[in-house]
Amino acid sequence: MSPRATRGRTRPLDEERIVTAAFAILAAEGFEGLTVRRIAERLRVQNPALYWHFDGKQSIVDRMAERMLTEMVAGARAGHPTGWRAVLQAAARSFRRVMRRHRDGARVVAAANLAPSPMTASTNEMLGLLVAAGFSERDALIGVVAVFDYTMGATFEEQEDPRPARAVPASVRARGAKDAMFEGGLALLLDGLAARLARPRR
């Protein structure tokens, strides 16, 4: 087959192409504009073609979140952090960074079923690390959930800001203020966990 004929062939539709198209729709139109119809239009196929691969929008959103959380786990491990505090800190920062990379990224994660996602194994690893450091299983679970709920909420709040982008100065100072607020809240949570660890058990 000639190179020209190869270039003219349509790439087969698969789950990865659909998810990539979904992210393109998300970037252009936000979560509200993310529909099966618009994804199909972008791929130049009919809606039923997508249902060979996904049950509907929800399962596409689940896969979008799965891709984001895979990036998050890889990012959290990139610096090889050690110690429970450094591991939780790296995970929270990576989680926020990945969600901010995508328009309405926090909404995608919030709307997804995360049970089968890479977060399950990563969360279990963090729980084991905290228990090994001396936390009770209950405090370890509360601590991990609190850190991720805080990160999700802070990012969601930032992305849902109703002010138009032009109304917010796109300066290093403005971005730095948001980062400082996030880091300050994260430090308070981690300080609280450290204080709980230092407190004698009854």
Side-chain angles (χ1 to χ4, degrees), residues 186-198:
L186 179 59
L188 284 175
L189 280 172
L190 296 177
D191 288 347
L193 278 171
R196 176 64 63 91
L197 182 62

Side-chain angles (χ1 to χ4, degrees), residues 68-83 86-95 97-98 117-127 129 148:
M68 292 170 64
L69 293 173
T70 298
E71 294 176 18
M72 171 261 160
V73 171
R77 293 174 174 169
H80 305 289
T82 57
V87 168
L88 283 181
Q89 189 177 58
R93 288 172 175 170
S94 182
F95 189 31
R97 184 166 55 248
V98 170
S117 78
M119 277 291 289
T120 303
S122 180
T123 298
N124 288 337
E125 289 176 10
M126 285 184 277
L127 290 174
L129 181 63
F148 280 93

Side-chain angles (χ1 to χ4, degrees), residues 171-182:
S171 64
V172 173
R173 182 176 178 180
R175 291 194 300 272
K178 291 178 180 179
D179 292 341
M181 287 293 291
F182 173 77

Side-chain angles (χ1 to χ4, degrees), residues 5-197:
T6 302
R7 287 196 299 269
R9 293 181 62 185
T10 302
R11 181 183 166 190
L13 192 63
D14 57 28
E15 292 185 3
E16 291 306 311
R17 277 193 69 203
I18 293 170
V19 173
T20 298
F23 273 113
I25 297 297
L26 184 72
E29 311 205 27
F31 191 78
E32 295 300 331
L34 182 63
T35 65
V36 171
R37 179 179 62 81
R38 288 182 178 174
I39 296 170
E41 288 175 352
R42 183 173 184 86
L43 292 167
R44 298 181 181 179
V45 298
Q46 298 297 314
N47 287 18
L50 272 61
Y51 290 104
W52 282 100
H53 303 277
F54 292 100
D55 295 335
K57 177 180 174 178
Q58 182 61 57
S59 57
I60 295 174
V61 169
D62 292 347
R63 278 296 299 276
M64 293 172 74
E66 180 182 340
R67 183 185 288 188
M68 292 170 64
L69 293 173
T70 298
E71 294 176 18
M72 171 261 160
V73 171
R77 293 174 174 169
H80 305 289
T82 57
W84 69 267
R85 185 177 183 120
V87 168
L88 283 181
Q89 189 177 58
R93 288 172 175 170
S94 182
F95 189 31
R96 178 172 181 253
R97 184 166 55 248
V98 170
M99 287 189 292
R100 293 175 83 199
R101 194 176 295 154
H102 302 279
R103 179 179 177 180
D104 291 341
R107 288 191 67 184
V108 171
V109 177
N113 173 16
L114 303 182
S117 78
M119 277 291 289
T120 303
S122 180
T123 298
N124 288 337
E125 289 176 10
M126 285 184 277
L127 290 174
L129 181 63
L130 265 66
V131 170
F135 288 94
S136 68
E137 291 184 0
R138 179 176 182 275
D139 285 347
L141 178 60
I142 291 172
V144 170
V145 170
V147 167
F148 280 93
D149 281 355
Y150 164 69
T151 304
M152 171 84 76
T155 309
F156 191 94
E157 179 77 16
E158 183 179 337
Q159 293 185 323
E160 289 293 303
D161 190 336
R163 292 175 296 172
R166 63 179 178 277
V168 181
S171 64
V172 173
R173 182 176 178 180
R175 291 194 300 272
K178 291 178 180 179
D179 292 341
M181 287 293 291
F182 173 77
E183 290 291 336
L186 179 59
L188 284 175
L189 280 172
L190 296 177
D191 288 347
L193 278 171
R196 176 64 63 91
L197 182 62

